[in-house]
Amino acid sequence: MMPWYQAFLMMIGVILALMALRIPVAFAFLIVNVIGVSIFMGGHFGLVQLAANASEALANYSLVPIPLFILMGELFFHTGVAQRVFVVVDQLLGSVRGRLAYVSIGGGTIFSALSGSSLGNVAMMGSTMYPEMHRKGYSDTLSIGPIIATGGLAAIIPPSGLAVVLGSLAGMDVGRLLLAGLVPGLLLAFSFAALVFVISFLRPEAAPQYETARISFAEKLSLIAVNLVPMALVIIVVMGLIIFGIATPTEAAAFGVVSVMLVAALFRQLTVKAIVQAASSAMKISGMIFMIILASTTFSQILSLSGATRGLVDWVQSVDFSLTAVLATMALVLIVLGAFLEPVGIMMLTIPVFMPLVQSYGVDPLWMGVFILIFIELGLATPPFGLALYVMLASAPGKSIIDLTRAVAPYLACSLLLVVLITLVPDIVLFLPSLAAR
């Protein structure tokens, strides 16, 4: 048996090399799994066990919410209901300085809660909001920045598809993990809005003032009642079903899909074409995620069987690193990986190592799950290969990755401040899950 550090470096090194060759994440992990089971589980027997793990990994009830939450978001987008949210938030804000930046944050937060798709969020806001903000003379910091930053909220605010994947990979209660991300996600959205206010106040030229159509208070109430209340009810009921133990995350996700369809039907925007497009897109995304989960189950087992996981934990404890140092190192690893890998690939690489390590320090797995999700959100906007940057680049012709990075940098600082806050006050993450556990 090779030393744990050689096994660890071999497994991680081969995966990174395959990814560098642009082999899809799921297939890279499957190739490494075949190599790993041959070395550590004994040739033919290892391959048989790999096949057995495949069916066992996917025959998991906790995975069912993934395609349902994805379908919920795709219906929200393809039926055009998402567009109504942005239009209404825009009308409600009137002539507030920087209002289009607030619309991006407010509408994007609502869309995050209903879609669970960070890149879908950035793509939609980039194509709908950025051209108008650019035409009105908004600076990059108040146009591009909020769009990319708010897009990442979908990784944190429930119902987050990434949170469901993370919970499944880490063996956590998915419902409680979804709840754990709610308060941090909302705090992050408010911090983005506060940042827009400060920038607009200190640099008025960054958000030029212009006349907008005035609407009465009664008209505002009507807009809220007709357009926003149904959307809010979908979010509240889906999360309420989980919080009060009335339904499992799977049942709540199914209710969410039906609710979005009903709302779209009430708005007369539910068409056969929209349903087919949403179902097709959800099927493709879900298939990719399930392939990755299939590969990750055996990867975790091989790391454990080779002694790499236990060896790393024992080494860290023997060196007597403080918890702060361990978390700071993990944060750095997540940021670096975020610049090169997509979110699920990052989770597959880090969860088998990070979770046993932090649990040896007595850290709550739910808190660690939110910690990882925040840094995944950061990674989507981290150069040179943050996926959200490239999605936004398609909607902002003439801009470079450097321009986009400068625009979103102050918002990423808000995310880092949130990490410091939840580290000092863990109950920000753990309070809601504790209610659901009773």
Side-chain angles (χ1 to χ4, degrees), residues 414-428:
C414 291
S415 298
L416 294 175
L417 288 174
L418 176 66
V419 172
V420 174
L421 184 60
I422 66 170
T423 303
L424 296 174
V425 190
D427 279 347
I428 292 173

Side-chain angles (χ1 to χ4, degrees), residues 109-120:
T109 301
I110 295 171
F111 184 46
S112 294
L114 282 162
S115 74
S117 171
S118 296
L119 299 182

Side-chain angles (χ1 to χ4, degrees), residues 53-328:
N53 286 346
S55 59
E56 194 175 309
L58 298 183
N60 187 343
Y61 183 69
S62 66
L63 296 178
V64 180
I66 294 174
L68 291 174
F69 280 137
I70 292 171
L71 178 58
M72 181 177 160
E74 292 298 321
L75 284 168
F76 184 60
F77 176 73
H78 287 288
T79 57
V81 174
Q83 191 65 32
R84 297 178 73 100
V85 171
F86 286 94
V87 171
V88 170
V89 174
D90 183 28
Q91 290 178 306
L92 291 175
L93 287 174
S95 58
V96 173
R97 184 179 291 277
R99 72 186 178 93
L100 292 179
Y102 293 118
V103 170
S104 297
I105 294 168
T109 301
I110 295 171
F111 184 46
S112 294
L114 282 162
S115 74
S117 171
S118 296
L119 299 182
N121 207 348
V122 174
M124 191 193 73
M125 290 195 297
S127 61
T128 57
M129 295 298 303
Y130 176 71
E132 179 67 10
M133 297 166 87
H134 181 66
R135 189 173 68 83
K136 297 290 187 185
Y138 277 62
S139 70
D140 287 353
T141 307
L142 291 186
S143 57
I144 293 171
I147 291 173
I148 298 175
T150 308
L153 290 178
I156 307 167
I157 292 180
S160 162
L162 285 177
V164 176
V165 174
L166 190 152
S168 302
L169 292 176
M172 285 190 273
D173 184 315
V174 171
R176 295 183 69 210
L177 180 59
L178 288 171
L179 294 176
L182 182 58
V183 175
L186 292 177
L187 282 175
L188 200 51
F190 281 119
S191 71
F192 292 160
L195 180 61
V196 168
F197 176 81
V198 171
I199 294 173
S200 301
F201 179 77
L202 296 177
R203 294 171 48 209
E205 73 281 0
Q209 198 90 4
Y210 55 91
E211 287 298 318
T212 58
R214 294 182 178 274
I215 60 174
S216 67
F217 181 70
E219 288 175 314
K220 289 183 178 182
L221 287 179
S222 176
L223 286 171
I224 292 171
V226 172
N227 295 282
L228 294 188
V229 169
M231 293 292 96
L233 283 175
V234 172
I235 300 168
I236 292 168
V237 173
V238 168
M239 297 314 301
L241 289 172
I242 298 172
I243 291 173
F244 296 109
I246 299 171
T248 64
T250 299
E251 293 163 344
F255 178 85
V257 171
V258 174
S259 299
V260 172
M261 292 181 73
L262 287 174
V263 170
L266 288 173
F267 290 147
R268 298 183 180 180
Q269 292 179 273
L270 185 65
T271 63
V272 173
K273 181 181 178 182
I275 293 173
V276 170
Q277 287 177 330
S280 175
S281 181
M283 188 164 51
K284 291 175 184 176
I285 297 169
S286 300
M288 178 192 69
I289 290 174
F290 283 144
M291 274 289 292
I292 292 173
I293 291 173
L294 182 154
S296 74
T297 303
T298 303
F299 179 73
S300 299
Q301 290 179 349
I302 294 171
L303 276 183
S304 178
L305 190 65
S306 68
T309 303
R310 183 73 256 167
L312 181 63
V313 171
D314 290 343
W315 176 72
V316 171
Q317 290 179 332
S318 68
V319 177
D320 198 25
F321 283 121
S322 68
L323 177 59
T324 302
V326 170
L327 290 176

